[in-house]
Amino acid sequence: MNTAAPLQAPLQAPLLHLERLSVRYGRIAALEEVDLEVRSGELVTLLGSNGAGKSTTLKAISQLVAPSGGAVRWRGQSLKGVATETTVRLGIGHCPEGRRVLSRQSVATNLELGAYLRRDHSGIATDLERCYGLFPRLAERRSQLAGSLSGGEQQMLAIARALMGRPTLLMLDEPSLGLAPKLVAEVMGILAELHRQGLSILLVEQNARAALAIASRGYLLEAGRVSRSGSATELLDDEGLQASYLGR
Amino acid sequence: MPLDASLLVQMLLGALLGLSVYLPLRAGQLSLATPGFYAIGGYTAALLSTRFPALAGDGALYPLPSLLLELVLAALIAGALALAIGGPVLKLKGIYLAIATIALVEILRVLNLNLGFTGGATGLFAIPQPFEGPVGYLLLSLAVLALVCWLCARLERLRLGRAMEAIREDELAAACMGLDTARVKLLSFLFSALVAAVAGVISAHFLNTWNARQGSFDASITTLAFVVFGGSRTWLGPVVGGLALTALPELLRPVGDLRLVVYGLVILLGPILFPQGLITPELLRRLRWPFRQTSAEAPAP
């Protein structure tokens, strides 16, 4: 490793940079030499089918699984060996697959827990109101148990909870999973709005069409490797991608 | 005289042991190590009070400052052990953690049974009495239980308590929120060890004798039953469970040989009729605010 890199890197370095990242689960290679970057203010999507390694990529970034090779760089600095807690502190928000709201806690408690590491009480209160503004249905149900929300509302809560950590980069793991088409459009609309407000987003999706509609760039993951990458329009026109993932 | 002061002391100690099982469970960790730490507390008290004449003083009664010293030392030893083994052991999940903690209890039991200074199979005798009768123990146990209950009730409202609850519901989601899950789990394990060790110190004096049978696998299951029966989602559950299930075998004495059958039935029927235990947060909410609950828990459309 070049020890001088972090000193001169911040201006030039992408926000997030995966360098030949590999992850193994025992003898199975889940990710092989994945290169990916997200620049500040970008909305990048990571596409692929079940088992392609999309969730593993996000878990490796959050240090929930340890990479077997390569590096995860945040603003140029390697995250090797840091705790998940630190990645959250550094500004990497991870909204995990399957919503995973705390069903026996109220909507408000879920949101407050999203700000667990923060101490700025006035800032937390402001962000809480901002979330309720962004997701009015959560405001109506703030004292209701999260488990009693509909699937769409739970997904909104999961996104709002991740926002409560005030991330620089928001990583979402298949937010469209199991949602009706109308709700998928609503979730994507909210992500596009957050992106317009300046949030950097890494969106993992199986629903390639919905994701490419709002993303500026995308990567396609197949069997643990990046098989295609490019701008959203390039990927939408890609014949191979069209056949396998866009269903034309 | 079924409900005398001695039984009350045992019930209070049972409630403390229930809380010791409950604390890690609050963070989703099924630890059965409580009898191990209880045994450590008991041996600490028994050894200090019988082997060090300086601590025993001149009077007829064992001095209270010496008892306090035992409590502090027992807490330190049990706490140090909990911190040392908690790191690796808490990496295990669910039933595997339970098995590993049973192993800990068994290792300690076999050590206590075979080491010279613990008195071997016969154990330690003539542990001096700090009080003249059971009433002193009753007051002491009551005070300790009240303190631990107060701390547990505080914990449920504190950031740390809410972090435990979050880990219990979904450890991955908790980690994604930035919770240091390993540290929170270790703290809950430490609290459990401290409570059990304190109960062990009081128990050793109260029983007047201590041996390896005090910390056995049977006790792991009995103390777990306190929590399963009483409920594991609020501190009042294990307290009620510990009090009730310690008293029950004694209260059932008139039934004769049938008492263990009835006891078994109660433990069996409890989880069937009350899957979350007798005491749940919802029940407490209902009892306290009968009118508010409709708006807070209205079902989603």
mmCIF file with all atom_site columns, all heavy atoms in Angstrom, chain B residues 13-35:
data_model
loop_
_atom_site.group_PDB
_atom_site.id
_atom_site.type_symbol
_atom_site.label_atom_id
_atom_site.label_alt_id
_atom_site.label_comp_id
_atom_site.label_asym_id
_atom_site.label_entity_id
_atom_site.label_seq_id
_atom_site.pdbx_PDB_ins_code
_atom_site.Cartn_x
_atom_site.Cartn_y
_atom_site.Cartn_z
_atom_site.occupancy
_atom_site.B_iso_or_equiv
_atom_site.pdbx_formal_charge
_atom_site.auth_seq_id
_atom_site.auth_comp_id
_atom_site.auth_asym_id
_atom_site.auth_atom_id
_atom_site.pdbx_PDB_model_num
ATOM 1   N N   . LEU B 1 13 ? -33.861 -14.615 46.246 1.00 0.00 ? 13 LEU B N   1
ATOM 2   C CA  . LEU B 1 13 ? -32.644 -15.022 45.537 1.00 0.00 ? 13 LEU B CA  1
ATOM 3   C C   . LEU B 1 13 ? -33.017 -15.602 44.175 1.00 0.00 ? 13 LEU B C   1
ATOM 4   O O   . LEU B 1 13 ? -32.316 -15.382 43.176 1.00 0.00 ? 13 LEU B O   1
ATOM 5   C CB  . LEU B 1 13 ? -31.856 -16.048 46.366 1.00 0.00 ? 13 LEU B CB  1
ATOM 6   C CG  . LEU B 1 13 ? -31.217 -15.491 47.646 1.00 0.00 ? 13 LEU B CG  1
ATOM 7   C CD1 . LEU B 1 13 ? -30.624 -16.620 48.484 1.00 0.00 ? 13 LEU B CD1 1
ATOM 8   C CD2 . LEU B 1 13 ? -30.149 -14.454 47.321 1.00 0.00 ? 13 LEU B CD2 1
ATOM 9   N N   . GLY B 1 14 ? -34.122 -16.337 44.114 1.00 0.00 ? 14 GLY B N   1
ATOM 10  C CA  . GLY B 1 14 ? -34.611 -16.863 42.831 1.00 0.00 ? 14 GLY B CA  1
ATOM 11  C C   . GLY B 1 14 ? -34.915 -15.736 41.855 1.00 0.00 ? 14 GLY B C   1
ATOM 12  O O   . GLY B 1 14 ? -34.574 -15.815 40.671 1.00 0.00 ? 14 GLY B O   1
ATOM 13  N N   . ALA B 1 15 ? -35.534 -14.679 42.372 1.00 0.00 ? 15 ALA B N   1
ATOM 14  C CA  . ALA B 1 15 ? -35.842 -13.530 41.510 1.00 0.00 ? 15 ALA B CA  1
ATOM 15  C C   . ALA B 1 15 ? -34.557 -12.912 40.974 1.00 0.00 ? 15 ALA B C   1
ATOM 16  O O   . ALA B 1 15 ? -34.468 -12.542 39.797 1.00 0.00 ? 15 ALA B O   1
ATOM 17  C CB  . ALA B 1 15 ? -36.648 -12.497 42.291 1.00 0.00 ? 15 ALA B CB  1
ATOM 18  N N   . LEU B 1 16 ? -33.523 -12.819 41.843 1.00 0.00 ? 16 LEU B N   1
ATOM 19  C CA  . LEU B 1 16 ? -32.233 -12.272 41.391 1.00 0.00 ? 16 LEU B CA  1
ATOM 20  C C   . LEU B 1 16 ? -31.631 -13.143 40.283 1.00 0.00 ? 16 LEU B C   1
ATOM 21  O O   . LEU B 1 16 ? -31.117 -12.631 39.288 1.00 0.00 ? 16 LEU B O   1
ATOM 22  C CB  . LEU B 1 16 ? -31.257 -12.187 42.570 1.00 0.00 ? 16 LEU B CB  1
ATOM 23  C CG  . LEU B 1 16 ? -31.351 -10.950 43.458 1.00 0.00 ? 16 LEU B CG  1
ATOM 24  C CD1 . LEU B 1 16 ? -30.419 -11.098 44.651 1.00 0.00 ? 16 LEU B CD1 1
ATOM 25  C CD2 . LEU B 1 16 ? -31.013 -9.691  42.672 1.00 0.00 ? 16 LEU B CD2 1
ATOM 26  N N   . LEU B 1 17 ? -31.698 -14.462 40.466 1.00 0.00 ? 17 LEU B N   1
ATOM 27  C CA  . LEU B 1 17 ? -31.139 -15.358 39.447 1.00 0.00 ? 17 LEU B CA  1
ATOM 28  C C   . LEU B 1 17 ? -31.940 -15.248 38.148 1.00 0.00 ? 17 LEU B C   1
ATOM 29  O O   . LEU B 1 17 ? -31.375 -15.311 37.052 1.00 0.00 ? 17 LEU B O   1
ATOM 30  C CB  . LEU B 1 17 ? -31.123 -16.802 39.959 1.00 0.00 ? 17 LEU B CB  1
ATOM 31  C CG  . LEU B 1 17 ? -30.147 -17.034 41.110 1.00 0.00 ? 17 LEU B CG  1
ATOM 32  C CD1 . LEU B 1 17 ? -30.205 -18.469 41.604 1.00 0.00 ? 17 LEU B CD1 1
ATOM 33  C CD2 . LEU B 1 17 ? -28.723 -16.685 40.679 1.00 0.00 ? 17 LEU B CD2 1
ATOM 34  N N   . GLY B 1 18 ? -33.263 -15.080 38.278 1.00 0.00 ? 18 GLY B N   1
ATOM 35  C CA  . GLY B 1 18 ? -34.082 -14.858 37.087 1.00 0.00 ? 18 GLY B CA  1
ATOM 36  C C   . GLY B 1 18 ? -33.624 -13.611 36.337 1.00 0.00 ? 18 GLY B C   1
ATOM 37  O O   . GLY B 1 18 ? -33.481 -13.619 35.111 1.00 0.00 ? 18 GLY B O   1
ATOM 38  N N   . LEU B 1 19 ? -33.345 -12.541 37.071 1.00 0.00 ? 19 LEU B N   1
ATOM 39  C CA  . LEU B 1 19 ? -32.872 -11.301 36.442 1.00 0.00 ? 19 LEU B CA  1
ATOM 40  C C   . LEU B 1 19 ? -31.517 -11.514 35.768 1.00 0.00 ? 19 LEU B C   1
ATOM 41  O O   . LEU B 1 19 ? -31.228 -10.925 34.729 1.00 0.00 ? 19 LEU B O   1
ATOM 42  C CB  . LEU B 1 19 ? -32.783 -10.178 37.477 1.00 0.00 ? 19 LEU B CB  1
ATOM 43  C CG  . LEU B 1 19 ? -34.124 -9.574  37.894 1.00 0.00 ? 19 LEU B CG  1
ATOM 44  C CD1 . LEU B 1 19 ? -33.958 -8.679  39.110 1.00 0.00 ? 19 LEU B CD1 1
ATOM 45  C CD2 . LEU B 1 19 ? -34.750 -8.796  36.746 1.00 0.00 ? 19 LEU B CD2 1
ATOM 46  N N   . SER B 1 20 ? -30.699 -12.368 36.381 1.00 0.00 ? 20 SER B N   1
ATOM 47  C CA  . SER B 1 20 ? -29.381 -12.650 35.806 1.00 0.00 ? 20 SER B CA  1
ATOM 48  C C   . SER B 1 20 ? -29.510 -13.349 34.453 1.00 0.00 ? 20 SER B C   1
ATOM 49  O O   . SER B 1 20 ? -28.716 -13.115 33.547 1.00 0.00 ? 20 SER B O   1
ATOM 50  C CB  . SER B 1 20 ? -28.558 -13.506 36.778 1.00 0.00 ? 20 SER B CB  1
ATOM 51  O OG  . SER B 1 20 ? -27.456 -14.066 36.124 1.00 0.00 ? 20 SER B OG  1
ATOM 52  N N   . VAL B 1 21 ? -30.528 -14.207 34.301 1.00 0.00 ? 21 VAL B N   1
ATOM 53  C CA  . VAL B 1 21 ? -30.745 -14.859 33.004 1.00 0.00 ? 21 VAL B CA  1
ATOM 54  C C   . VAL B 1 21 ? -31.385 -13.874 32.026 1.00 0.00 ? 21 VAL B C   1
ATOM 55  O O   . VAL B 1 21 ? -31.110 -13.871 30.827 1.00 0.00 ? 21 VAL B O   1
ATOM 56  C CB  . VAL B 1 21 ? -31.646 -16.110 33.158 1.00 0.00 ? 21 VAL B CB  1
ATOM 57  C CG1 . VAL B 1 21 ? -31.894 -16.773 31.811 1.00 0.00 ? 21 VAL B CG1 1
ATOM 58  C CG2 . VAL B 1 21 ? -31.012 -17.104 34.108 1.00 0.00 ? 21 VAL B CG2 1
ATOM 59  N N   . TYR B 1 22 ? -32.234 -12.998 32.584 1.00 0.00 ? 22 TYR B N   1
ATOM 60  C CA  . TYR B 1 22 ? -32.977 -12.050 31.756 1.00 0.00 ? 22 TYR B CA  1
ATOM 61  C C   . TYR B 1 22 ? -32.067 -11.012 31.088 1.00 0.00 ? 22 TYR B C   1
ATOM 62  O O   . TYR B 1 22 ? -32.295 -10.632 29.932 1.00 0.00 ? 22 TYR B O   1
ATOM 63  C CB  . TYR B 1 22 ? -34.029 -11.367 32.641 1.00 0.00 ? 22 TYR B CB  1
ATOM 64  C CG  . TYR B 1 22 ? -34.461 -9.991  32.228 1.00 0.00 ? 22 TYR B CG  1
ATOM 65  C CD1 . TYR B 1 22 ? -35.457 -9.817  31.265 1.00 0.00 ? 22 TYR B CD1 1
ATOM 66  C CD2 . TYR B 1 22 ? -33.908 -8.850  32.810 1.00 0.00 ? 22 TYR B CD2 1
ATOM 67  C CE1 . TYR B 1 22 ? -35.869 -8.549  30.896 1.00 0.00 ? 22 TYR B CE1 1
ATOM 68  C CE2 . TYR B 1 22 ? -34.322 -7.582  32.442 1.00 0.00 ? 22 TYR B CE2 1
ATOM 69  C CZ  . TYR B 1 22 ? -35.294 -7.435  31.492 1.00 0.00 ? 22 TYR B CZ  1
ATOM 70  O OH  . TYR B 1 22 ? -35.702 -6.186  31.125 1.00 0.00 ? 22 TYR B OH  1
ATOM 71  N N   . LEU B 1 23 ? -31.033 -10.567 31.797 1.00 0.00 ? 23 LEU B N   1
ATOM 72  C CA  . LEU B 1 23 ? -30.221 -9.459  31.277 1.00 0.00 ? 23 LEU B CA  1
ATOM 73  C C   . LEU B 1 23 ? -29.578 -9.766  29.918 1.00 0.00 ? 23 LEU B C   1
ATOM 74  O O   . LEU B 1 23 ? -29.732 -8.974  28.987 1.00 0.00 ? 23 LEU B O   1
ATOM 75  C CB  . LEU B 1 23 ? -29.180 -9.037  32.313 1.00 0.00 ? 23 LEU B CB  1
ATOM 76  C CG  . LEU B 1 23 ? -29.756 -8.127  33.404 1.00 0.00 ? 23 LEU B CG  1
ATOM 77  C CD1 . LEU B 1 23 ? -28.865 -8.096  34.628 1.00 0.00 ? 23 LEU B CD1 1
ATOM 78  C CD2 . LEU B 1 23 ? -29.967 -6.716  32.860 1.00 0.00 ? 23 LEU B CD2 1
ATOM 79  N N   . PRO B 1 24 ? -28.876 -10.907 29.751 1.00 0.00 ? 24 PRO B N   1
ATOM 80  C CA  . PRO B 1 24 ? -28.366 -11.188 28.407 1.00 0.00 ? 24 PRO B CA  1
ATOM 81  C C   . PRO B 1 24 ? -29.486 -11.451 27.402 1.00 0.00 ? 24 PRO B C   1
ATOM 82  O O   . PRO B 1 24 ? -29.362 -11.104 26.232 1.00 0.00 ? 24 PRO B O   1
ATOM 83  C CB  . PRO B 1 24 ? -27.510 -12.442 28.579 1.00 0.00 ? 24 PRO B CB  1
ATOM 84  C CG  . PRO B 1 24 ? -27.538 -12.801 29.995 1.00 0.00 ? 24 PRO B CG  1
ATOM 85  C CD  . PRO B 1 24 ? -28.444 -11.903 30.731 1.00 0.00 ? 24 PRO B CD  1
ATOM 86  N N   . LEU B 1 25 ? -30.587 -12.024 27.888 1.00 0.00 ? 25 LEU B N   1
ATOM 87  C CA  . LEU B 1 25 ? -31.698 -12.332 26.999 1.00 0.00 ? 25 LEU B CA  1
ATOM 88  C C   . LEU B 1 25 ? -32.305 -11.055 26.417 1.00 0.00 ? 25 LEU B C   1
ATOM 89  O O   . LEU B 1 25 ? -32.841 -11.048 25.319 1.00 0.00 ? 25 LEU B O   1
ATOM 90  C CB  . LEU B 1 25 ? -32.760 -13.121 27.776 1.00 0.00 ? 25 LEU B CB  1
ATOM 91  C CG  . LEU B 1 25 ? -33.522 -14.207 27.020 1.00 0.00 ? 25 LEU B CG  1
ATOM 92  C CD1 . LEU B 1 25 ? -32.579 -15.115 26.263 1.00 0.00 ? 25 LEU B CD1 1
ATOM 93  C CD2 . LEU B 1 25 ? -34.372 -15.017 27.974 1.00 0.00 ? 25 LEU B CD2 1
ATOM 94  N N   . ARG B 1 26 ? -32.228 -9.972  27.177 1.00 0.00 ? 26 ARG B N   1
ATOM 95  C CA  . ARG B 1 26 ? -32.699 -8.681  26.674 1.00 0.00 ? 26 ARG B CA  1
ATOM 96  C C   . ARG B 1 26 ? -31.958 -8.286  25.414 1.00 0.00 ? 26 ARG B C   1
ATOM 97  O O   . ARG B 1 26 ? -32.485 -7.606  24.554 1.00 0.00 ? 26 ARG B O   1
ATOM 98  C CB  . ARG B 1 26 ? -32.468 -7.603  27.724 1.00 0.00 ? 26 ARG B CB  1
ATOM 99  C CG  . ARG B 1 26 ? -33.701 -7.071  28.344 1.00 0.00 ? 26 ARG B CG  1
ATOM 100 C CD  . ARG B 1 26 ? -33.404 -5.795  29.070 1.00 0.00 ? 26 ARG B CD  1
ATOM 101 N NE  . ARG B 1 26 ? -33.562 -4.661  28.168 1.00 0.00 ? 26 ARG B NE  1
ATOM 102 C CZ  . ARG B 1 26 ? -34.725 -4.233  27.699 1.00 0.00 ? 26 ARG B CZ  1
ATOM 103 N NH1 . ARG B 1 26 ? -35.822 -4.834  28.037 1.00 0.00 ? 26 ARG B NH1 1
ATOM 104 N NH2 . ARG B 1 26 ? -34.797 -3.211  26.878 1.00 0.00 ? 26 ARG B NH2 1
ATOM 105 N N   . ALA B 1 27 ? -30.690 -8.685  25.328 1.00 0.00 ? 27 ALA B N   1
ATOM 106 C CA  . ALA B 1 27 ? -29.902 -8.406  24.131 1.00 0.00 ? 27 ALA B CA  1
ATOM 107 C C   . ALA B 1 27 ? -29.913 -9.615  23.195 1.00 0.00 ? 27 ALA B C   1
ATOM 108 O O   . ALA B 1 27 ? -29.043 -9.760  22.346 1.00 0.00 ? 27 ALA B O   1
ATOM 109 C CB  . ALA B 1 27 ? -28.475 -8.034  24.510 1.00 0.00 ? 27 ALA B CB  1
ATOM 110 N N   . GLY B 1 28 ? -30.887 -10.510 23.395 1.00 0.00 ? 28 GLY B N   1
ATOM 111 C CA  . GLY B 1 28 ? -31.051 -11.641 22.489 1.00 0.00 ? 28 GLY B CA  1
ATOM 112 C C   . GLY B 1 28 ? -30.078 -12.782 22.722 1.00 0.00 ? 28 GLY B C   1
ATOM 113 O O   . GLY B 1 28 ? -29.961 -13.667 21.880 1.00 0.00 ? 28 GLY B O   1
ATOM 114 N N   . GLN B 1 29 ? -29.361 -12.772 23.850 1.00 0.00 ? 29 GLN B N   1
ATOM 115 C CA  . GLN B 1 29 ? -28.344 -13.803 24.080 1.00 0.00 ? 29 GLN B CA  1
ATOM 116 C C   . GLN B 1 29 ? -28.834 -14.821 25.108 1.00 0.00 ? 29 GLN B C   1
ATOM 117 O O   . GLN B 1 29 ? -29.053 -14.488 26.266 1.00 0.00 ? 29 GLN B O   1
ATOM 118 C CB  . GLN B 1 29 ? -27.040 -13.162 24.571 1.00 0.00 ? 29 GLN B CB  1
ATOM 119 C CG  . GLN B 1 29 ? -26.544 -12.040 23.680 1.00 0.00 ? 29 GLN B CG  1
ATOM 120 C CD  . GLN B 1 29 ? -26.384 -12.486 22.241 1.00 0.00 ? 29 GLN B CD  1
ATOM 121 O OE1 . GLN B 1 29 ? -25.666 -13.440 21.963 1.00 0.00 ? 29 GLN B OE1 1
ATOM 122 N NE2 . GLN B 1 29 ? -27.071 -11.819 21.326 1.00 0.00 ? 29 GLN B NE2 1
ATOM 123 N N   . LEU B 1 30 ? -28.998 -16.061 24.665 1.00 0.00 ? 30 LEU B N   1
ATOM 124 C CA  . LEU B 1 30 ? -29.451 -17.116 25.560 1.00 0.00 ? 30 LEU B CA  1
ATOM 125 C C   . LEU B 1 30 ? -28.241 -17.698 26.286 1.00 0.00 ? 30 LEU B C   1
ATOM 126 O O   . LEU B 1 30 ? -27.587 -18.608 25.801 1.00 0.00 ? 30 LEU B O   1
ATOM 127 C CB  . LEU B 1 30 ? -30.196 -18.203 24.767 1.00 0.00 ? 30 LEU B CB  1
ATOM 128 C CG  . LEU B 1 30 ? -30.661 -19.419 25.559 1.00 0.00 ? 30 LEU B CG  1
ATOM 129 C CD1 . LEU B 1 30 ? -31.521 -19.011 26.731 1.00 0.00 ? 30 LEU B CD1 1
ATOM 130 C CD2 . LEU B 1 30 ? -31.407 -20.387 24.667 1.00 0.00 ? 30 LEU B CD2 1
ATOM 131 N N   . SER B 1 31 ? -27.924 -17.111 27.438 1.00 0.00 ? 31 SER B N   1
ATOM 132 C CA  . SER B 1 31 ? -26.796 -17.595 28.240 1.00 0.00 ? 31 SER B CA  1
ATOM 133 C C   . SER B 1 31 ? -27.317 -18.376 29.420 1.00 0.00 ? 31 SER B C   1
ATOM 134 O O   . SER B 1 31 ? -28.216 -17.923 30.128 1.00 0.00 ? 31 SER B O   1
ATOM 135 C CB  . SER B 1 31 ? -25.962 -16.403 28.734 1.00 0.00 ? 31 SER B CB  1
ATOM 136 O OG  . SER B 1 31 ? -25.190 -16.797 29.853 1.00 0.00 ? 31 SER B OG  1
ATOM 137 N N   . LEU B 1 32 ? -26.766 -19.559 29.633 1.00 0.00 ? 32 LEU B N   1
ATOM 138 C CA  . LEU B 1 32 ? -27.159 -20.367 30.786 1.00 0.00 ? 32 LEU B CA  1
ATOM 139 C C   . LEU B 1 32 ? -26.025 -20.398 31.815 1.00 0.00 ? 32 LEU B C   1
ATOM 140 O O   . LEU B 1 32 ? -25.915 -21.324 32.617 1.00 0.00 ? 32 LEU B O   1
ATOM 141 C CB  . LEU B 1 32 ? -27.531 -21.786 30.339 1.00 0.00 ? 32 LEU B CB  1
ATOM 142 C CG  . LEU B 1 32 ? -28.743 -21.849 29.391 1.00 0.00 ? 32 LEU B CG  1
ATOM 143 C CD1 . LEU B 1 32 ? -29.026 -23.282 28.979 1.00 0.00 ? 32 LEU B CD1 1
ATOM 144 C CD2 . LEU B 1 32 ? -29.973 -21.250 30.044 1.00 0.00 ? 32 LEU B CD2 1
ATOM 145 N N   . ALA B 1 33 ? -25.177 -19.379 31.794 1.00 0.00 ? 33 ALA B N   1
ATOM 146 C CA  . ALA B 1 33 ? -23.996 -19.360 32.661 1.00 0.00 ? 33 ALA B CA  1
ATOM 147 C C   . ALA B 1 33 ? -24.304 -18.898 34.076 1.00 0.00 ? 33 ALA B C   1
ATOM 148 O O   . ALA B 1 33 ? -23.430 -18.946 34.949 1.00 0.00 ? 33 ALA B O   1
ATOM 149 C CB  . ALA B 1 33 ? -22.915 -18.458 32.055 1.00 0.00 ? 33 ALA B CB  1
ATOM 150 N N   . THR B 1 34 ? -25.533 -18.457 34.318 1.00 0.00 ? 34 THR B N   1
ATOM 151 C CA  . THR B 1 34 ? -25.874 -17.898 35.631 1.00 0.00 ? 34 THR B CA  1
ATOM 152 C C   . THR B 1 34 ? -25.433 -18.754 36.823 1.00 0.00 ? 34 THR B C   1
ATOM 153 O O   . THR B 1 34 ? -24.790 -18.234 37.744 1.00 0.00 ? 34 THR B O   1
ATOM 154 C CB  . THR B 1 34 ? -27.391 -17.599 35.676 1.00 0.00 ? 34 THR B CB  1
ATOM 155 O OG1 . THR B 1 34 ? -27.637 -16.488 34.810 1.00 0.00 ? 34 THR B OG1 1
ATOM 156 C CG2 . THR B 1 34 ? -27.875 -17.264 37.068 1.00 0.00 ? 34 THR B CG2 1
ATOM 157 N N   . PRO B 1 35 ? -25.724 -20.074 36.843 1.00 0.00 ? 35 PRO B N   1
ATOM 158 C CA  . PRO B 1 35 ? -25.287 -20.869 38.012 1.00 0.00 ? 35 PRO B CA  1
ATOM 159 C C   . PRO B 1 35 ? -23.771 -20.893 38.188 1.00 0.00 ? 35 PRO B C   1
ATOM 160 O O   . PRO B 1 35 ? -23.279 -21.023 39.314 1.00 0.00 ? 35 PRO B O   1
ATOM 161 C CB  . PRO B 1 35 ? -25.815 -22.271 37.712 1.00 0.00 ? 35 PRO B CB  1
ATOM 162 C CG  . PRO B 1 35 ? -26.919 -22.064 36.743 1.00 0.00 ? 35 PRO B CG  1
ATOM 163 C CD  . PRO B 1 35 ? -26.524 -20.888 35.917 1.00 0.00 ? 35 PRO B CD  1
#
